[in-house]
Amino acid sequence: MSYRQKLLDSAVPGGSDSSVMGCRVLVAEDSSITQDLLKMVLTQRGHQVDLVNDGELALNALLHQSYDVALLDFHLPGLDGVQVAASYLAQSTDSLRPWFIAITADVEGLLAHEANCESFDKVVPKPVDIQLICRVVEDAGRQGPPPVPNRTTTRDKTVGGSKKRQHGTSAPTRSLSDDGTFVRWPADFDSKTLSGRALQATVQQGNIDALLVEEPATVNDLALIWQTPSLHLYPVLDMAGTLGAMADIDCSRIAASETGALADLIEGFHERRARLHRDALLTDDIGEKLLGRMFVANEPLMPAYDGLVRTMVRFNLVCDSETVINETNKLVEGGFLSTSFFDRVHVCASCGSSQLNVREECPSCRSSNLREEAYLHHFECAYQGPESDFKRGDDLICPKCRKELSYFGSDYDKPGTMVICGTCGHATSEPVVGFVCLSCGQHTDGDAMRTRDICSLDLTEKAIGFLEGGRAFLGFAQTSLRFADLPLDLVVALNDEARRFNQDGTPFALLDISYQNAYEIDREHGPRQLSRLRSLFLENLRNVLANDLATMVGEAKVVKGQAYDFALLKRTMPDVIRPQIELVASKATTSLRLDPGVAITVFAPEDLR
Amino acid sequence: MWATISDGVTYLQSQSAGSLLVLFWFVVIFELPRYTLSFMTAAFFSARGTAGEIDRARIGRVTVMIAGHNEEDAIERCVLGLREQSLPPDEIIVVSDGSTDRMTRKLGKLLRKGLIQRAHGTELRGGKSAAVNLCTRLAHGNILINVDCDCSFDRHALRNIVRPFADPAIGAVSGNIFIRNAQASLFCSFQAIEYLISISLGKQVLSLLNQVSCASGAFSAFRREALDQVGGLDAGGGEDLDLTLRLRRADWKVLFAADAVCYTDAPETISALVRQRFRWERDAVRLRYRKHGNWMNPFSKRFQLRELVHEVDFLFFNVVGGVALPLYCLWLFATYGDLAPAILVGAQVGLLVIDLLTFVLAAYATPKARTWPLLPYVLGYSIFNGFFMRLVRIAAYLQEWIFKASYSDSYVPEKVQMVRE
C-alpha cells in the first residue's frame, strides 16, 4: 500500500474497506472552486465524478446515468437542488436511486423549502467540509442504495431485483476528467512551442482556478508558466508529488483533513489576483512576474537547500532558482523586495554553479591527496622528521645516528603531526581550502572564491504599491505634498514665499512635476537617460514660463528633486496658472525625443498648510 | 691612598723594560698577543669593500630557517625584515617549537599572506636543535640560513652571507652580530664593545687564519650537503659551536662574513648577562673537553693539527688566562705587598691603552657599526672585560667541571638533557 493510500485511509475511518471504493458520484454545483475541489478529492479517493453546473443538467444526468451518490447544491441555477431530487424521484423509472446529499450554506432555507426536502438523505453545510463529504459518500457506498421512499409505481416492486452496477475499478491515480477549470500539465502543454498561444487564450479568459501538474515534472518542464501571460498567477497543484515545496500544494500527500486548505488556497489566489493592477497582471518582465506571483501566493520567497540544482537552493515557486536569484537581486536594489539572510553559498567564478567540492589541499600543488603523518623527535641526536624516515620494518631507526628508538618518552616522542601531500610530497601543518566546481571542473582557491548571500525575500510597500497601483504608482502622480520629499533650497524659498503671503498676501504657486513614464524610460533607456530627459524638460519649462507666461508668472524657480521636480512660481496666482498648465507641459515636452508623461499638479499657498 | 699610588707610580717609573716584563707577565702573556697582534694582522689583511655581484647560479636556492619558542610578537617583524633583503630568500621556513602562545596561529597568517613558504608548529617543545633539524628536513634550498627570531638584519645581510658559497669548499659562513640595544644599559654598551672586538674584529682574524670555530647560532649560513653530511644539529646547548666543530672535522671550510650584519638584543641586566655567559662557557667546556675531548689527543684518530690551533687558543686564553688572573693577583700581593694595587692600576692603564687601540682598529675594520658613541665606555669596558668577565668565566668553568651544571640547563628540554651526549 502506498504512502499516499495510507494517508487517505487514516484520514477516514474504514477507508480501507474495498467496498467503499469506486462510487459514482454526481456533483451539481455552480461554484467552480467547489466543483474542482470535490472532483479532485473524490477522484483521488477512487470515485468516479461527473460535474454539472445547473439543476436541469443534474436532473438529466440523474435520469440517464446511474449514480450511487448525488451531491446537489441547494441553490442551483435553473432547478434548485430540492427540485432536482424531487423531480428525479417523480420521473425515475429506475428501481434504485442514488443517495441525495444537499450541499448548502442555507440550511434553514432548505428546510423551509416548499418542495419536500425530505427527499434528501443528508445535508452537508457549506463551506464544504471535505472530510464529511468523503465520509458521507463512502458511507453511502458501503450501505448500498437507499430504500426507495413511498412510491406506488410498479417500479417499486422491482426493488430487490438488484441491479448490480458495474463500476470500473477506477484507480486512485486516475486523472481528473477533461472538462473543468484547470490548466493541465502535460496535457495542455503538449507541444511546447505552440501551446503557448492556446494557453494564453485560456488564461486570459480568466476562468481557470489552478495549474494542475498531473505527471512528474521539473522546473524546466514548467518554464512555460513564466512565458504565458499571467499563468504564473495561478496556484500550482502538484498531483505527482515531484515539485515538493515549489508547488503550492502537494496533492499526492494531501490528507482529507487538509482539503479545506485547498479551497482556501484557490480562493486566496482568486481574490489576490483580482487586486492586481493590469500592469502587473499582463507584464512580460520576469521580475515583475515574480512580484505578482509573490503577491497572489501571499507568501515571502523562502529558500531551502536542494543539492540537485546548481544554486543549491530552491525557492517556494516553480521557477529555476538562478533566475529567481538574479531577478530578485535587481528587485532588491530597486527597493521592491526586503531581504532576510538565509545562508551564504560559494559560487564558481567560471560557471556560476554552487555545486562545489570543498576540500583541504596541498598549498604547493593543490592536490587533495593528503595524509596525516606523525613526526618523531629523537632526543639524543635532535633529529626530527616524519615517522616514515624512521620506519625500518617494525623498528624505528634514527636516520641520522642509526640508533634504534625503543623507548617512547625516553628515546623519542611525537611532538605533532604533519600533513603530507601524496602527490608532490610537500609537508605542511596548514593545508589550504580549495574548491572544485562539480559542473565545470574549475578549481578555485579558498580565498579567491566568490560568495553569494541567499535571502528570503518579502514584498516591500513599494512593490505592493506597484502591484496594486500599476506603473503609475512608480510614476508618482501626487495629489498631496510631503515636505520631506522637497529639496532643501526649495523649502527655503517656499518658506520665504509663505512668509510674504502671510504678511501681505503676495500669492505664489508650487508646481509638482511627476513623470508617468519614468519607470518605462528608466527600464528601457537607463537612469542616465531619464535624468537627462528630466533636465531637458525643466530647461524647456523654465523658458516657457519666462517667455510665454511672463505676464502671469512673477518669477519662476525650477528645482530638480529626487523623484519629482518642482517649480516655485513667485508672485503668481495659482488659479490663473492652473488652466494654462496643460499647455505649458505640452510646450515644454514637444522638443523632447521621449515623452516623459509629464503630469503637473498646481499647489496654492492654502494647500501647503 | 694617594701616597700609595704615587709610590706605585714612582716605583713603576723606576723599572727597566725587563723588570716591567716580569712585573706584568700576565698582561704580556694573556692580553697582548690575543688582541693586539692578531688585530694588527686583521687590519693589515682584511680586504674591505664588497666583492660585487654574487653568482646566484652557483649558489642555488636560499632558504631561511627560523626556529622559535613562544615568539608570537617577534616573528612577524623578523620575517618582514627578511623580505626587505636585497637578496630575498627563495623560501622561509618557520618552526614553532612547542609554543604555548599564539605563535602557530600567527604562522598560519603569514603563510596565507605568502610571507613565508612553510611553517609548522610542534605540540611539544623539543629544543632548538630539533626544531632547526625539522626546518632542514622541510627545506628545499641549497643554502640554509639559520636565523634567530629576535634578530633584525642589514639590507644586504643575506646577499653577503651567501656570497662566499660560490667557493664549493665553504661549508658554513657565520654572520656578523651587532648589539641593537647598545644604549639600553651600561652593560649593554660594554657588550657592544665586546662584540665589536671579539666578533666583528676577532672573527675576521680567525676567518683569515681559517680558525672560525663557532658559526653563530643567531645568524649563520650552511651548505645543504655539509649539513646533511654531519646530520644537522646535535642536541643542545651550544649547538652552534658543536655543529661548527663537526663541520670542520668533516673538512668543510668555515668563514666569517663581516659585512653580513645582523642585530640582536644583549641582556640588559647583570644577572641576565651572567646567566647567559655561564651557559655559553659551560657548553663550550662540555663540548670541547667532554664531547669532542679526543680531538685534542694527539694519539686519537680524530686528532687534527688544524683543529689544535683554536683548541689551544681557547684553552690558553680563555681557560688558563682566566685561572691565572687570581694567581697573578695573589702573586703580586705576596711579592710586592703595598705596591700591588698600584701595579694593578698600572697594568689596567696599560690595558686601557691596548683596548683603546683595538677598539679603534675594530671600528676601522667594521665601518657599518655606529662605533663612536661607544668610545667613552671603553674605559669601563677594560675593567669589565679584564676582570669581571674573566671571573664569570672561571666560575662557569668550575661549576661545569665540578657540578656538570650544563646538564641541568633549562635552555634544553629535560627530556633531551637526560639522553644527549
Side-chain angles (χ1 to χ4, degrees), chain B residues 98-362:
Chain B
S99 294
T100 49
D101 64 357
R102 280 176 298 181
M103 179 174 176
T104 308
R105 198 187 300 176
K106 188 83 168 228
L107 294 186
K109 227 170 85 185
L110 296 173
L111 206 54
R112 281 189 291 279
K113 282 192 199 161
L115 289 173
I116 59 179
Q117 281 61 51
R118 271 148 195 259
H120 194 74
T122 69
E123 282 151 37
L124 299 169
R125 185 174 163 227
K128 171 142 184 171
S129 298
V132 172
N133 283 342
L134 187 59
C135 286
T136 314
R137 179 68 178 68
L138 298 174
H140 285 135
N142 305 87
I143 304 298
L144 309 181
I145 302 177
N146 186 13
V147 155
D148 261 359
C149 229
D150 56 358
C151 286
S152 41
F153 299 89
D154 177 77
R155 230 185 96 71
H156 303 298
L158 291 198
R159 187 191 71 191
N160 295 342
I161 204 170
V162 300
R163 181 183 286 119
F165 284 98
D167 174 358
I170 306 292
V173 176
S174 175
N176 197 355
I177 294 171
F178 288 0
I179 295 301
R180 189 166 46 203
N181 59 342
Q183 307 298 327
S185 73
L186 184 66
F187 282 98
C188 288
S189 300
F190 289 163
Q191 288 175 82
I193 297 170
E194 185 198 6
Y195 274 60
L196 191 69
I197 292 174
S198 70
I199 297 184
S200 297
L201 186 59
K203 281 196 179 172
Q204 274 192 61
V205 175
L206 294 176
S207 189
L208 280 170
L209 304 172
N210 188 19
Q211 290 298 320
V212 177
S213 60
C214 180
S216 161
F219 183 40
S220 288
F222 301 91
R223 188 182 295 282
R224 168 118 222 173
E225 298 111 274
L227 213 50
D228 285 348
Q229 188 189 339
V230 300
L233 296 180
D234 279 359
E239 61 277 345
D240 47 355
L241 170 66
D242 174 60
L243 175 67
T244 318
L245 292 177
R246 285 186 294 120
L247 285 171
R248 291 176 62 85
R249 263 301 285 123
D251 283 337
W252 288 100
K253 242 173 122 177
V254 181
L255 290 188
F256 171 76
D259 52 356
V261 177
C262 124
Y263 297 82
T264 190
D265 284 336
E268 289 183 17
T269 62
I270 185 160
S271 59
L273 172 67
V274 168
R275 268 200 307 277
Q276 183 200 50
R277 292 308 162 94
F278 262 62
R279 202 177 76 220
W280 288 3
E281 300 298 340
R282 283 190 311 235
D283 283 330
V285 167
R286 178 176 60 81
L287 290 166
R288 282 178 185 274
Y289 304 118
R290 290 221 175 87
K291 186 174 175 182
H292 304 306
N294 52 2
W295 294 7
M296 285 182 67
N297 179 355
F299 302 104
S300 162
K301 272 193 293 182
R302 293 170 159 249
F303 177 80
Q304 276 185 347
L305 201 59
R306 187 182 63 213
E307 301 306 305
L308 193 62
V309 179
H310 66 82
E311 294 283 7
V312 168
D313 171 77
F314 178 82
L315 180 66
F316 185 75
F317 289 108
N318 286 35
V319 183
V320 179
V323 176
L325 179 66
L327 296 177
Y328 173 69
C329 293
L330 282 176
W331 173 79
L332 266 186
F333 279 95
T335 316
Y336 300 97
D338 283 352
L339 284 172
I343 296 169
L344 274 178
V345 170
Q348 195 54 52
V349 170
L351 279 177
L352 180 62
V353 173
I354 299 172
D355 281 332
L356 268 173
L357 200 64
T358 45
F359 178 81
V360 171
L361 260 176

Side-chain angles (χ1 to χ4, degrees), chain A residues 58 102 104 184 211 265 455:
Chain A
T104 182
R184 289 150 202 284
L211 174 68
L265 177 78
C455 298

Side-chain angles (χ1 to χ4, degrees), chain A residues 5 42 76 89 100 129 163-164 179 216 261 281 297 312 329 337 380-381 388 443 471 592 607:
Chain A
Q5 191 66 56
L42 292 172
L76 277 172
L89 289 175
F100 285 107
D129 178 347
K163 173 184 170 190
K164 188 83 182 168
D179 53 17
L281 209 56
M312 299 298 271
N329 278 347
L337 291 174
E380 190 177 330
C381 75
S388 55
H443 177 274
R471 285 181 199 118
L592 299 179
D607 299 325

Side-chain angles (χ1 to χ4, degrees), chain A residues 259-274:
Chain A
T259 47
L262 185 57
D264 293 346
L265 177 78
I266 293 174
E267 193 52 58
F269 268 73
H270 274 309
E271 183 208 313
R272 297 182 70 80
R273 194 167 47 243

Side-chain angles (χ1 to χ4, degrees), chain A residues 408-561:
Chain A
F408 181 81
S410 202
D411 286 349
Y412 70 99
D413 62 7
K414 292 183 174 176
T417 54
M418 210 178 279
V419 177
I420 315 258
C421 174
T423 306
C424 73
H426 186 100
T428 179
S429 57
E430 285 254 335
V432 296
V433 172
F435 292 78
V436 172
C437 177
L438 302 183
S439 305
C440 71
Q442 172 75 32
H443 177 274
T444 313
D445 294 353
D447 42 6
M449 201 63 195
R450 288 198 301 147
T451 60
R452 168 192 284 162
D453 285 359
I454 303 292
C455 298
S456 63
L457 300 147
D458 209 351
L459 297 171
T460 58
E461 289 297 319
K462 183 178 175 187
I464 292 169
F466 158 68
L467 292 166
E468 293 183 334
R471 285 181 199 118
F473 175 83
L474 305 174
F476 325 111
Q478 294 222 125
T479 50
S480 65
L481 272 179
R482 284 180 57 214
F483 275 91
D485 293 336
L486 301 184
L488 191 64
D489 49 344
L490 181 67
V491 173
V492 174
L494 255 180
N495 217 29
D496 289 344
E497 287 309 300
R499 192 162 37 78
R500 216 161 286 147
F501 176 75
N502 288 336
Q503 279 168 7
D504 51 28
T506 311
F508 68 90
L510 179 66
L511 306 188
D512 174 70
I513 306 154
S514 62
Y515 303 94
Q516 310 284 351
N517 300 338
Y519 184 75
E520 279 85 343
I521 293 169
D522 181 277
R523 236 185 49 197
E524 280 175 41
H525 304 279
R528 273 187 60 213
Q529 184 72 3
L530 175 63
S531 171
R532 201 175 306 147
L533 192 67
R534 274 170 65 174
S535 301
L536 271 175
F537 172 75
L538 294 181
E539 194 53 49
N540 292 349
L541 182 68
R542 238 174 242 132
N543 291 335
V544 173
L545 290 173
N547 302 329
D548 300 18
L549 296 180
T551 49
M552 302 175 204
V553 178
E555 184 193 338
K557 181 181 173 66
V558 178
V559 182
K560 195 167 185 180

Side-chain angles (χ1 to χ4, degrees), chain A residues 81 96 127 133 150 174 231 251 314 323 409 494 551:
Chain A
L96 295 173
I133 296 264
N150 313 325
R174 206 193 120 146
L231 186 56
C251 296
R314 59 179 155 65
T323 310
L494 255 180
T551 49

